[in-house]
Amino acid sequence: DTEVTQTPKHLVMGMTNKKSLKCEQHMGHRAMYWYKQKAKKPPELMFVYSYEKLSINESVPSRFSPECPNSSLLNLHLHALQPEDSALYLCASSQAETGPYGYTFGSGTRLTVV
Amino acid sequence: GENVEQHPSTLSVQEGDSAVIKCTYSDSASNYFPWYKQELGKRPQLIIDIRSNVGEKKDQRIAVTLNKTAKHFSLHITETQPEDSAVYFCAASGTGNQFYFGTGTSLTVIP
């Protein structure tokens, strides 16, 4: 398995909703990442997990809450989002944080906040 | 931190011609430079990468060159095809395995 799987592919949520994004990989990668991408812009790093521990939080608002239950799974919990949070949320993994190694990206979750 | 600049932002070429995209970086400690291709509505995909101990790397129609002294690296696509049309992002390594992405180049190959 050489893929990163993200679910759901599309999500529409209201500003008072709570939802979660899920990311899974079975390549034995020990670093996992959440990126946010707006249209026609490069991906922006949100969080980095290394060996299931949060190692980088790029000053992301607390309405985004990451979780890494095990080495294969990464979640992003969403609560009280704003319309400007609408974007493509990409998960990625790599062999280890102390690389450098290229990322494998998931297909993303396209989030719309209404 | 690292600052990666990418040019041009848009590029149109005739099918069969070559395309060149250039990136510069600021942090001399960066030692790994991947290139990603992102088709509309799809995930970024790693197409080629180069490490700082190498000056050039080729993979069929794609090549990347690196000039460490000048802190710039370039993507070269020869014999372009319509399926090469996409947005291309360069990146430079930062702390650990964190990457700094360029702003992207939208490449259109005209049949």
Side-chain angles (χ1 to χ4, degrees), chain A residues 37 94 97 100-101 103 105 107, chain B residues 32 36 38 43 51 96-97:
Chain A
Q37 188 178 29
S94 66
E97 187 186 11
Y101 300 98
Y103 291 164
F105 279 98
S107 296
Chain B
Y32 175 68
Y36 289 86
Q38 187 173 25
R43 77 185 80 185
R51 297 185 186 273
N97 206 25

Side-chain angles (χ1 to χ4, degrees), chain A residues 79-92:
Chain A
H79 173 55
L81 295 193
Q82 303 297 310
E84 58 264 29
D85 296 322
S86 298
L88 179 68
Y89 287 84
L90 292 162
C91 174

Side-chain angles (χ1 to χ4, degrees), chain A residues 3-20:
Chain A
E3 289 196 351
V4 174
T5 303
Q6 286 187 246
T7 55
K9 294 192 184 307
H10 301 274
L11 178 62
V12 179
M13 60 184 292
M15 289 188 283
T16 58
N17 290 160
K18 285 185 181 181
K19 296 287 184 183
S20 296

Side-chain angles (χ1 to χ4, degrees), chain A residues 4 33 35 37 40-43 45 56 58 88 90 94 96-97 99-103 105-107 110, chain B residues 31-32 34 36 38 41-46 49 51 89 93 95-104:
Chain A
V4 174
Y33 311 80
Y35 276 85
Q37 188 178 29
K40 299 184 180 180
K41 297 291 186 183
L45 183 65
I56 294 177
E58 290 286 337
L88 179 68
L90 292 162
S94 66
E97 187 186 11
Y101 300 98
Y103 291 164
F105 279 98
S107 296
R110 189 159 299 281
Chain B
N31 60 2
Y32 175 68
Y36 289 86
Q38 187 173 25
K42 297 194 175 180
R43 77 185 80 185
Q45 290 196 294
L46 179 67
D49 56 15
R51 297 185 186 273
F89 293 103
S93 61
T95 304
N97 206 25
Q98 180 179 346
F99 292 118
Y100 296 88
F101 285 88
T103 48

Side-chain angles (χ1 to χ4, degrees), chain B residues 1 10 21 23 25 27 41 43 54 63 72 77 79 85 97 106-107:
Chain B
T10 59
I21 302 170
C23 288
Y25 62 99
D27 187 353
R43 77 185 80 185
V54 175
H72 66 72
I77 306 174
E79 300 173 23
S85 297
N97 206 25
S106 179
L107 173 65

Side-chain angles (χ1 to χ4, degrees), chain A residues 12 19 23 26 35 46-47 49-51 61 64-65 67 76 92 105 113:
Chain A
V12 179
K19 296 287 184 183
C23 173
H26 296 286
Y35 276 85
M46 299 175 73
F47 302 105
Y49 272 84
S50 178
Y51 294 88
F64 295 92
S65 175
E67 179 196 16
L76 185 62
F105 279 98
V113 181

Side-chain angles (χ1 to χ4, degrees), chain A residues 22-71:
Chain A
K22 180 180 174 181
C23 173
E24 198 165 2
Q25 58 87 17
H26 296 286
M27 295 178 281
H29 289 176
R30 302 312 300 270
M32 295 185 77
Y33 311 80
W34 280 115
Y35 276 85
K36 173 183 178 180
Q37 188 178 29
K38 292 279 203 178
K40 299 184 180 180
K41 297 291 186 183
E44 295 175 39
L45 183 65
M46 299 175 73
F47 302 105
V48 180
Y49 272 84
S50 178
Y51 294 88
E52 295 104 72
K53 289 188 177 1
L54 182 64
S55 62
I56 294 177
N57 175 340
E58 290 286 337
S59 302
V60 179
S62 60
R63 56 186 185 269
F64 295 92
S65 175
E67 179 196 16
C68 190
N70 59 57
S71 61

